[in-house]
Amino acid sequence: MITRTMSKNPRTTRGDLVNDLQRAGTKVTKATISNTLRRQGLKSCSASRVPLLKPVHVQARLKFSREHLNDPEEDWENVIWSDETKIELFGKNSTRRVWRRKNAELHPKNTIPTVKHGGGNIMLWGCFSAKGPGRLIRVKERMNGAMYREILSDNLLPSARALKMKRGWVFQHDNDPKHTARATKEWLRKKHFKILEWPSQSPDLNPIENLWRELKVCVAQRKPQNITALEEICMEEWAKIPATNEVDGTSGDEVLDPQWFECMDR
C-alpha cells in the first residue's frame, strides 16, 4: 500500500500515510515508511518547478520545435538573442552549504553576510549572437514599453553592426508584455526587424541565460561593495565574455542542439 500510494500521488507525505494506515488498522512509524520506500528505489526530493501549460501552449511549443529542428547552423548564427536580468549586490539569493564543527555556525567563515532590504540590485538588458556579446546597459527605472523601445533604438542596431551580423539577421526576445505590446510590434515592423517567433510559456532556454549565469558568477567573485561598483563590474565582466566557450571550445550557437528542441516539446 505504501509504495502504491506514493506512486499514485508522489506528493503524499509520510504523515499522511501514517494516518491512512492507522485508519486501516495498521500502525507504522515514519521511519518504517522511509525505509520501505528506499528499498523500492524511491527517495524524497524537491519537486521541480515547471511552467503551467495550457493545451495551446503545448501545441505552440511543439510547433516551434518542429519548425526549427532541422534549421542549419548558419541560421542560428544569424540570430541576436536578448533578455533582461536582475543582479543582486550581495550575490545570488541561494542557500549555501558549509562543512563546520558543532557550535561553530556563527563563525564568519560559516556565514553568508546579508543586509536589510537585500543590499540593492540593478536591472540589465543585454544581447548576444554566436559572434559574441552585444551591448549591455543598466535599466535605471521601471521598464515599460516606451523605455524598452528606446533601449532597442539605442542599442540593438549598434550591437548588430559591432557583431557584423549578416543581412537579414533575426532578433529574439520573449513574450514579456513590453515586448509584445502593439506599439512595440509596430515599431519593430517599421524598422523592418525580422523577429524569431517565440512560443508562450516556453521553457527558459534562451541561450543568453548561460551568459547571465557566467556574468553573475564573475561579479560575485569580485564582491562589489556598492551599486556603482556593481554596475562597473558588470560592464567589465560582460566585455570579457568571449565568443567561444573557453571551457569546451564550442561556440555559442552549438547550445542549440536537438535536445534543446526536445525540451520545447515537454
Side-chain angles (χ1 to χ4, degrees), residues 10-11 44-50:
R11 297 181 184 179
S44 177
C45 303
S46 298
S48 299
R49 295 181 179 274
V50 298

Side-chain angles (χ1 to χ4, degrees), residues 57-72 76 197 199 257-258 260-266:
H57 299 142
V58 174
Q59 291 303 315
R61 286 157 52 131
L62 183 59
K63 178 175 178 289
F64 179 90
S65 60
R66 285 174 173 170
E67 288 178 348
H68 296 286
L69 180 59
N70 297 314
D71 285 0
W76 296 115
E197 183 179 353
D257 60 20
W260 187 84
F261 291 99
E262 290 174 6
C263 291
M264 296 291 292
D265 295 345
R266 297 171 188 164

Side-chain angles (χ1 to χ4, degrees), residues 118-221:
N121 60 73
I122 61 174
M123 180 67 72
L124 301 172
W125 176 92
C127 65
F128 91 109
S129 78
K131 298 180 180 180
R135 288 194 175 184
L136 179 74
I137 66 158
R138 179 183 173 188
V139 182
K140 294 186 177 182
E141 301 176 13
R142 185 177 181 86
M143 188 187 290
N144 55 27
M147 182 183 295
Y148 180 63
R149 294 188 291 276
E150 182 177 345
I151 288 172
L152 295 185
S153 178
D154 293 341
N155 299 280
L156 183 54
L157 274 178
S159 293
R161 295 190 188 102
L163 293 169
K164 298 180 179 178
M165 301 298 292
K166 296 179 181 178
R167 179 182 293 274
W169 57 270
V170 179
F171 175 56
Q172 182 276 340
H173 59 178
D174 60 28
N175 293 301
D176 184 284
K178 297 182 292 292
H179 305 170
T180 58
R182 181 179 299 178
T184 300
K185 288 183 176 180
E186 181 64 16
W187 184 87
L188 291 167
R189 187 190 65 79
K190 288 182 177 179
K191 295 293 182 179
H192 305 290
F193 288 137
K194 186 176 180 181
I195 309 300
L196 176 63
E197 183 179 353
W198 201 249
S200 297
Q201 290 292 339
S202 63
D204 207 0
L205 292 177
N206 184 341
I208 203 173
E209 297 300 334
N210 299 321
L211 270 69
W212 290 144
R213 182 183 183 281
E214 183 171 344
L215 177 65
K216 291 176 182 180
V217 169
C218 292
V219 170
Q221 290 174 346

Side-chain angles (χ1 to χ4, degrees), residues 85-153:
T85 193
K86 181 171 69 174
I87 298 189
E88 302 283 347
L89 179 58
F90 289 94
K92 294 180 291 186
N93 293 327
S94 59
T95 300
R96 304 282 181 87
R97 302 186 72 85
V98 296
W99 292 89
R100 63 172 176 78
R101 298 183 183 278
K102 187 177 180 180
N103 298 325
E105 63 271 16
L106 296 181
H107 190 283
K109 290 184 178 180
N110 300 327
T111 63
I112 299 176
T114 63
V115 297
K116 289 184 178 180
H117 312 300
N121 60 73
I122 61 174
M123 180 67 72
L124 301 172
W125 176 92
C127 65
F128 91 109
S129 78
K131 298 180 180 180
R135 288 194 175 184
L136 179 74
I137 66 158
R138 179 183 173 188
V139 182
K140 294 186 177 182
E141 301 176 13
R142 185 177 181 86
M143 188 187 290
N144 55 27
M147 182 183 295
Y148 180 63
R149 294 188 291 276
E150 182 177 345
I151 288 172
L152 295 185
S153 178

Side-chain angles (χ1 to χ4, degrees), residues 13-77:
T13 67
R14 292 181 304 165
D16 293 335
L17 273 173
V18 168
N19 295 332
D20 291 344
L21 290 168
Q22 189 171 4
R23 284 192 291 269
T26 302
K27 187 175 182 179
V28 296
T29 64
K30 292 182 179 180
T32 298
I33 291 174
S34 295
N35 293 334
T36 301
L37 293 172
R38 288 195 187 99
R39 286 195 296 268
Q40 297 299 319
L42 299 174
K43 63 179 181 178
S44 177
C45 303
S46 298
S48 299
R49 295 181 179 274
V50 298
L52 178 61
L53 300 179
K54 298 178 180 178
V56 65
H57 299 142
V58 174
Q59 291 303 315
R61 286 157 52 131
L62 183 59
K63 178 175 178 289
F64 179 90
S65 60
R66 285 174 173 170
E67 288 178 348
H68 296 286
L69 180 59
N70 297 314
D71 285 0
E73 182 176 321
E74 300 78 46
D75 286 1
W76 296 115
E77 291 177 348

Side-chain angles (χ1 to χ4, degrees), residues 122 138 140 226-236:
I122 61 174
R138 179 183 173 188
K140 294 186 177 182
N226 54 60
I227 292 295
T228 300
L230 176 62
E231 181 179 356
E232 292 175 354
I233 290 173
C234 284
M235 300 303 169
E236 292 172 4

